[in-house]
Amino acid sequence: MNIRSQISMVFHLDKCIGCHTCSVACKNVWTDRKGAEYMWWNNVETKPGTGYPTKWEDQEIYQGGWEKNGDSVSLRGAGKLKGLKNIFANPNMPVLDDYYEPWQYRYQDLFDAPEGDDQPIGRAVSLVTGEPMEVQAGPNWDDDLSGTPDYARKDVNFKNVSAAEQDAMFQLERMTFHYLPRICNHCLNPACVGSCPSGALYKRGEDGVVLINQERCRAWRMCVTACPYKKSYYNWSTGKSEKCVLCYPRLESAQPPACFHSCVGRIRYMGVMLYDADRIEAVASADEAELVDRHLDIYLDPNDPEVIKAARANGVHDSTIVAAQKSPVYKFVKEWKIALPLHPEFRTLPNLFYVPPLLPAMASVGEDGNYDSVNETLLVGVEKLRVPISYLASLFTAGNENKVIDVFKKLHAVRVSRRNSTVGDVSEQQLNTCMNEAGFDTHVANAIYRLTSLCTYEERFVVPAAHREESIEMLESAHDYKGNTGFGFKERPARGL
Amino acid sequence: MLDYLLFGALPYVALAVFLIGSIYRYVFKGFQVSSLSSQFLEGDQLFYGSQFFHWGIIMLFFGHLIGFMVPSAVVAWNGDPVRLLILEFTAFGFALSCLVGLLLLIKRRLTTKRIQMVTGPMDYVVYIVLLLQIISGIGIAYFGRWGSNWFAAVMTPYLRSVFAFNPNVDLIAQLSTSNAIAMLMVKTHIASAFLIIGIIPFTRFVHFLVAPVDYLWRRYQLVIWNWNNKEIRKSRNYFPGKSREFNN
């Protein structure tokens, strides 16, 4: 057993209102720079939709992630031979137009325009070339389905959804969508790290944050291709790749990242998970049907004395173990099993889990064009969901529909249980049926309800400090720098010649 | 006199600047050591230009290296005229591939607005010396036949004399003067080669010094412990931490 700690996340999609506050917080802190304007380390997508960059989930195009190769995994479009062969020009790499060309408006023209018959306008100018441009796309132009079926119909996840189900969904498409906020998953088996020819990418041993060493990055661009979530970005100005750093300076001082802190819907949870690093290869190469189960099995019970002992022996700090015991992520993912990884079939073992959106059909447009309620009661079962289960299974379970249904039964049971205790119009038989199907009692239902709806800041974010008193030691060996002040000299991020 | 400057002095200036400059840039300006890829801004034209250019120049580099390291083997191979022709035509093919690729890349850089935004003066310097180098090389192959034969008699001893700190400039002068064009090409080729070596630290040429060959034998996953608690506990370890571990 080789126990390590991993900072992990849960996003509760039923709570996401798609306000993009997380994206803006991240943009203002990290990517408001030349060469990084197009990057959204945090972005919010509308599903169904094509996402950012366009069709990022389609690995036929981008060749990202790992594929099963016997008892191990190999990179799909990168790696030693495939990667180095493409190092001079990589045909699978997304280019600027796959994201969007960033622009700014010439606001000054509004003030400087001479008096005339027409309203002055501020034209869009490219942030790359500085020339006037016709804006073709933006980072969230399929927001709220964008008033057109064009984006939704191109969603890659409809591969396994039958034509009839799709028609039913698009008949309702004006009201059937949910949001999918995405950041770097800080995977246990990161494809970006595996693909980096110069070894610039690495996973931090202490907390599992995946970072790019800006001084070692040589712009071979393999991480951009290899990351199946397209969360590694190339800065065209500095000639270095960049990615979400999980606001590690904040993490080290026991604060959640900016996107977590600013989340208006409070959909985000962050906590520590203890896992067995020796099992990564075996889990990543599991059969697709059991991929999710094997993935969740790699996380260990932080209250198990054996696990605690092994974690201590492996150098995990006591405060980290305490944080793991209070981790909201552990509750969602392991105890209640209502959070699932995004696209587990990419085999990177992501550490960001989603509580899938329970979208019950309240009403639909009938043949006569009228909008009619389809249910007699407020709470409908899993069978009347607006989104086809096969669609969500394509997102969260590599196609295993039963796993999604299991989660929905639990989420549904929580609602029935709460309805029963607050309004009391639920029959005992219905309550018992729901609880049996969910496999828990009202105590658990209340606990889920509490952490979902009434959670405090401290309950949502249980981040162990990296011990500020030792923080210099996170970066440098203190003995080497005895007598120095600060972190020594750092160079400006100037582009090479 | 010019010969002494170009073939007696320039090599040492170039090598000294190369060594000191590259080490300085790597150690103190690590952020600026990058291939500065522009594929992200323009990928379609880059594909053919970059592939033709890079594969061509890599093959030529190793061809020259073999000629320098084991000249006798090259001469022995060339003992049979058929094999000589195979060698010469293959090398000529790679040189043409290199030239075509470079011209495509130059055209791309000059005509693409986005690429212009990431183009600096040193990019043009790089193109000029590379053009000079490749065209003079092609000129030698065409006018100074057969280079792979006389390389062993002239260039290898000359280069060895340079590395022995006793440059034998006369070797270059001894080259057949019957063919003035070939002579000019050879001199240009040698001088611009040292020029390229000399400007490596000041241009994007640095990227081939950090070519990722170690990727071939390293393990895929890389975990770095900034501060390894297990090592801290060993009080006898004076410099704990800083462990780099290539596994999962």
Side-chain angles (χ1 to χ4, degrees), chain A residues 14 67 110 124 134 163 400 456 494:
Chain A
D14 260 340
E67 53 193 358
L110 300 176
E134 291 298 322
N400 186 341
T456 62

Side-chain angles (χ1 to χ4, degrees), chain A residues 178-409:
Chain A
H178 66 271
Y179 301 107
L180 185 71
R182 301 200 299 121
I183 66 170
C184 169
N185 294 299
H186 296 276
C187 306
L188 294 182
N189 184 34
C192 55
V193 174
S195 73
C196 180
S198 49
L201 278 131
Y202 62 98
K203 194 170 177 65
R204 287 215 302 199
E206 288 84 358
D207 53 11
V209 177
V210 177
L211 296 171
I212 301 178
N213 182 342
Q214 292 287 297
E215 292 198 357
R216 276 186 79 86
C217 174
R218 312 289 181 219
W220 307 126
R221 322 169 300 291
M222 286 303 156
C223 54
V224 182
T225 306
C227 173
Y229 302 94
K230 291 291 163 282
K231 280 295 170 190
S232 184
Y233 302 88
Y234 181 66
N235 183 320
W236 54 265
S237 177
T238 60
K240 302 274 167 171
S241 289
E242 299 177 7
K243 64 178 287 300
C244 161
V245 295
L246 211 61
C247 291
Y248 70 82
R250 286 176 62 91
L251 286 188
E252 287 169 11
S253 54
Q255 302 171 79
C259 55
F260 285 71
H261 192 115
S262 63
C263 180
V264 174
R266 302 180 180 185
I267 76 157
R268 296 183 178 218
Y269 301 82
M270 172 170 267
V272 169
M273 299 283 257
L274 300 179
Y275 70 101
D276 183 0
D278 285 343
R279 275 154 57 182
I280 289 173
E281 189 175 9
V283 171
S285 57
D287 287 333
E288 201 151 276
E290 52 183 26
L291 205 49
V292 177
D293 286 333
R294 295 286 303 275
H295 180 187
L296 301 190
D297 277 348
I298 204 172
Y299 302 108
L300 305 168
D301 181 358
N303 290 307
D304 180 343
E306 287 294 309
V307 172
I308 294 173
K309 198 174 146 202
R312 278 200 184 124
N314 219 15
V316 177
H317 205 282
D318 279 355
S319 65
T320 304
I321 296 173
V322 171
Q325 290 165 346
K326 292 196 288 187
S327 167
V329 179
Y330 188 81
K331 287 183 184 133
F332 274 113
V333 174
K334 290 284 285 186
E335 272 182 44
W336 305 328
K337 294 189 195 306
I338 56 174
L340 298 164
L342 179 64
H343 285 300
E345 73 274 17
F346 296 160
R347 298 181 184 274
T348 62
L349 310 185
N351 287 302
L352 167 50
F353 301 89
Y354 293 89
V355 179
L358 190 60
L359 293 163
M362 302 305 293
S364 71
V365 181
E367 301 248 321
D368 52 1
N370 289 335
Y371 185 77
D372 294 323
S373 172
V374 293
N375 310 303
E376 283 154 20
T377 60
L378 194 61
L379 295 164
V380 293
V382 173
E383 65 278 1
K384 283 196 177 164
L385 290 173
R386 283 186 277 177
V387 180
I389 294 287
S390 51
Y391 178 79
L392 292 170
S394 169
L395 274 177
F396 298 117
T397 61
N400 186 341
E401 297 183 16
N402 288 333
K403 294 215 78 66
V404 181
I405 290 172
D406 285 348
V407 172
F408 279 157
K409 281 180 177 160

Side-chain angles (χ1 to χ4, degrees), chain B:
Chain B
M1 185 59 201
L2 187 63
D3 278 2
Y4 280 94
L5 269 180
L6 288 180
F7 311 117
L10 178 64
Y12 295 106
V13 175
L15 288 170
V17 171
F18 161 68
L19 279 176
I20 296 168
S22 302
I23 292 170
Y24 176 84
R25 185 162 170 192
Y26 187 84
V27 174
F28 296 104
K29 298 276 178 192
F31 187 82
Q32 295 190 6
V33 180
S34 163
S35 63
L36 298 177
S37 164
S38 56
Q39 183 185 355
F40 184 73
L41 296 175
E42 200 290 319
D44 294 338
Q45 294 183 57
L46 176 88
F47 184 80
Y48 292 103
S50 185
Q51 297 277 21
F52 277 133
F53 171 75
H54 278 102
W55 289 115
I57 204 155
I58 285 176
M59 293 301 175
L60 292 174
F61 174 78
F62 282 107
H64 283 64
L65 192 66
I66 290 169
F68 171 64
M69 301 297 279
V70 281
S72 54
V74 178
V75 173
W77 168 274
N78 284 349
D80 184 342
V82 177
R83 294 197 301 210
L84 168 79
L85 284 178
I86 290 175
L87 178 68
E88 285 280 338
F89 274 93
T90 314
F92 200 75
F94 283 123
L96 285 182
S97 152
C98 198
L99 180 66
V100 168
L102 184 62
L103 292 175
L104 288 172
L105 290 175
I106 292 175
K107 185 234 162 202
R108 165 180 179 267
R109 189 167 289 272
L110 291 178
T111 56
T112 314
K113 180 69 189 171
R114 283 183 186 171
I115 305 298
Q116 282 287 306
M117 302 315 293
V118 289
T119 301
M122 291 318 272
D123 290 316
Y124 293 112
V125 173
V126 162
Y127 283 149
I128 290 167
V129 293
L130 278 177
L131 267 183
L132 201 62
Q133 186 70 5
I134 295 167
I135 290 173
S136 62
I138 290 175
I140 294 170
Y142 186 77
F143 294 108
R145 279 165 277 190
W146 300 102
S148 56
N149 268 346
W150 57 254
F151 189 97
V154 180
M155 283 314 299
T156 307
Y158 165 68
L159 288 174
R160 287 195 176 151
S161 73
V162 169
F163 287 114
F165 295 102
N166 184 20
N168 191 348
V169 180
D170 295 339
L171 276 169
I172 310 243
Q174 279 165 19
L175 269 173
S176 161
T177 47
S178 61
N179 191 336
I181 301 177
M183 188 66 194
L184 180 67
M185 293 292 174
V186 171
K187 287 189 173 177
T188 310
H189 200 68
I190 299 170
S192 71
F194 283 117
L195 191 61
I196 286 178
I197 291 174
I199 63 173
I200 283 173
F202 311 104
T203 58
R204 63 199 305 153
F205 282 144
V206 280
H207 76 273
F208 73 76
L209 298 179
V210 289
V213 277
D214 57 335
Y215 183 51
L216 287 171
W217 54 81
R218 82 149 218 247
R219 293 183 63 168
Y220 275 117
Q221 294 298 356
L222 169 55
V223 177
I224 290 182
W225 299 82
N226 288 301
W227 190 251
N228 193 333
N229 283 329
K230 274 187 290 188
E231 290 189 31
I232 298 168
R233 296 214 174 83
K234 291 182 203 147
S235 57
R236 295 174 70 89
N237 187 348
Y238 191 66
F239 295 119
K242 294 264 186 185
S243 65
R244 251 170 109 80
E245 182 192 348
F246 278 100
N247 61 36
N248 222 328

Side-chain angles (χ1 to χ4, degrees), chain A residues 93-111:
Chain A
M93 190 185 111
V95 295
L96 183 64
D97 297 309
D98 289 317
Y99 300 82
Y100 71 104
E101 183 165 357
W103 72 90
Q104 176 61 285
Y105 294 101
R106 281 208 297 240
Y107 293 108
Q108 196 60 41
D109 287 2
L110 300 176
F111 298 95

